[in-house]
Amino acid sequence: MAIKNINMAKVFSSANTKQSLRLVCDYIDADELEVNPENEIIYGKLNIDDLKAEIIRSGGVKNPIEVIKKDEKLIIISGHRRQLATLQAFNEGKLSSKKVPYFINDTIKSLDDEKVAIIGRNTQREKDFKTRFNEITILTEILSKEVQNEKGRFRKNIADRIGISEAELQRYWDYNKFCPEIREAVEDENSTLTFSKAAELRGLSEEEQQKALEIIKQKDDISTRELRNLKKSIKEGYNVEDLNEDYSPKQEDGKKDTPKPKNDKLSKSTNQDNIPNTVTNPKIKTIENSIENDNEDIELSAIETCLSVLNTKKNELDTLLNTIKDDDKGLKMLATIDYLDKLIAKCEKDLDIKLERGNINENNREGDI
């Protein structure tokens, strides 16, 4: 038995502290440690191929396995993959010993504590949608039993424990609002409707979701931009025959026309998807030109320039999003796009105010004599 200084931030990937604690560590045969059934419920079958190769190269497990003592049994909290990889490598004759380092954590008292600890120790691992959704469902149920905090702080608490943004967490919470058919499609491994793409359909009623799904099924694959167009078209009451191939409305007689800008001298777009992927726009004066020309409104030019840059970056991310297959990466990208949308909306509001003030000043001028 040995006393060892252990950096808790390394042992517990979810730890927010760098303090070191003196823990009693010892070695034990890996098969004397018992798998925690809660780990199997949350994470299912373990993939250990990469870890096994690393353990063989290192000559065994170096980081201690965290366990609790329950009914005289040692139950694993963190280290299920290390245990399994060690046993497989030993049975294959690639390790001379199946002993692993371990320590007992006596601060975990309840089943809820076990679940929170298991999830907290796994934040560094890449996870598919189903695994992440399991984590969030379990943590939400457990933490909601604790002292009720403000909704925002409750959401932040869960997001921090799992290692995702609050915007990503909200998308997982909203998953239960989807109709059963969409949830079934997302969980189908052969479906092209991933969770990050389905998130674009939030805000549609159940009937509208079913309508969208029927249209989606008619296409081999669908991009994020097409999903956004489809959602917007459905909300505005268009039928599928009224839509272009990218699901934007056709411009025909009797159909809705694109609203005209409030001022012919300005180029505020009402359809961000039609903005070209470039910052340069001949209708938008640069701030530098405005400074040189005393007759130009510098603030107006600054707002228009910001809008152009933000829309360009948003379109770039939209294009990149269509190439991402991993749900976690897709959700992080969506969170960034959502934030850009908020900045764009703020700029457009400022532009509206600026234009309105300009029109009032223009109307209140006295005529030339």
Side-chain angles (χ1 to χ4, degrees), residues 269-280:
S269 174
T270 56
N271 188 343
Q272 295 172 7
D273 289 339
N274 292 331
I275 297 176
N277 243 356
T278 173
V279 176
T280 306

Side-chain angles (χ1 to χ4, degrees), residues 7-178:
N7 187 328
M8 297 304 290
K10 290 182 178 178
V11 176
F12 305 149
S13 60
S14 62
N16 293 321
T17 176
K18 293 184 178 180
Q19 73 182 59
S20 291
L21 300 181
R22 292 174 65 80
L23 298 177
V24 179
C25 293
D26 203 352
Y27 282 81
I28 191 172
D29 286 346
D31 51 9
E32 291 186 36
L33 302 178
E34 298 210 6
V35 171
N36 195 315
E38 296 301 328
N39 190 82
E40 292 187 343
I41 292 172
I42 300 170
Y43 297 113
K45 186 177 179 181
L46 301 176
N47 185 343
I48 60 166
D49 292 342
D50 56 338
L51 181 59
K52 182 169 70 172
E54 182 182 334
I55 288 175
I56 292 171
R57 283 195 301 270
S58 303
V61 172
K62 303 303 180 185
N63 292 325
I65 293 175
E66 179 187 1
V67 303
I68 58 172
K69 196 167 185 178
K70 184 189 289 187
D71 300 327
E72 299 306 313
K73 297 177 182 178
L74 295 177
I75 313 294
I76 300 175
I77 291 294
S78 174
H80 292 85
R81 295 173 72 239
R82 279 169 279 166
Q83 181 217 30
L84 183 57
T86 297
L87 291 174
Q88 282 193 12
F90 176 76
N91 292 334
E92 293 168 0
K94 296 176 181 177
L95 281 180
S96 59
S97 172
K98 57 182 176 181
K99 288 193 178 295
V100 292
Y102 78 100
F103 70 92
I104 298 175
N105 186 339
D106 58 6
T107 65
I108 296 174
K109 304 297 184 182
S110 67
L111 183 58
D112 282 351
D113 288 343
E114 283 184 49
K115 294 176 182 178
V116 171
I118 289 170
I119 293 171
R121 310 303 190 256
N122 282 281
T123 55
Q124 80 283 2
R125 285 170 52 189
E126 290 287 333
K127 304 180 182 76
D128 58 19
F129 159 73
K130 198 168 185 179
T131 302
R132 181 71 80 192
F133 186 70
N134 283 344
E135 289 182 332
I136 290 171
T137 302
I138 291 167
L139 273 185
T140 301
E141 181 182 351
I142 292 172
L143 297 181
S144 64
K145 300 175 187 175
E146 297 180 359
V147 178
Q148 292 297 316
N149 295 321
E150 298 174 18
K151 182 179 179 181
R153 295 188 62 185
F154 175 67
R155 181 171 55 203
K156 185 177 186 305
N157 188 4
I158 295 178
D160 288 346
R161 287 179 186 244
I162 296 178
I164 62 176
S165 71
E166 292 182 55
E168 290 176 67
L169 175 61
Q170 188 62 54
R171 285 191 176 90
Y172 280 100
W173 279 349
D174 289 345
Y175 179 70
N176 288 323
K177 297 178 182 177
F178 285 129

Side-chain angles (χ1 to χ4, degrees), residues 299-350:
E299 288 185 12
L300 191 60
S301 296
I303 295 172
E304 289 182 313
T305 302
C306 286
L307 266 175
S308 178
V309 172
L310 289 171
N311 278 314
T312 297
K313 179 54 65 177
K314 176 177 175 291
N315 286 337
E316 289 174 357
L317 293 181
D318 270 334
T319 302
L320 182 59
L321 184 62
N322 292 329
T323 67
I324 295 176
K325 303 300 181 184
D326 181 83
D327 274 330
D328 274 355
K329 291 179 181 177
L331 287 170
K332 288 176 182 177
M333 186 74 73
L334 279 172
T336 304
I337 293 172
D338 279 351
Y339 187 66
L340 287 175
D341 277 333
K342 290 178 182 177
L343 292 177
I344 289 169
K346 177 68 167 60
C347 284
E348 289 183 337
K349 183 178 180 182
D350 289 345

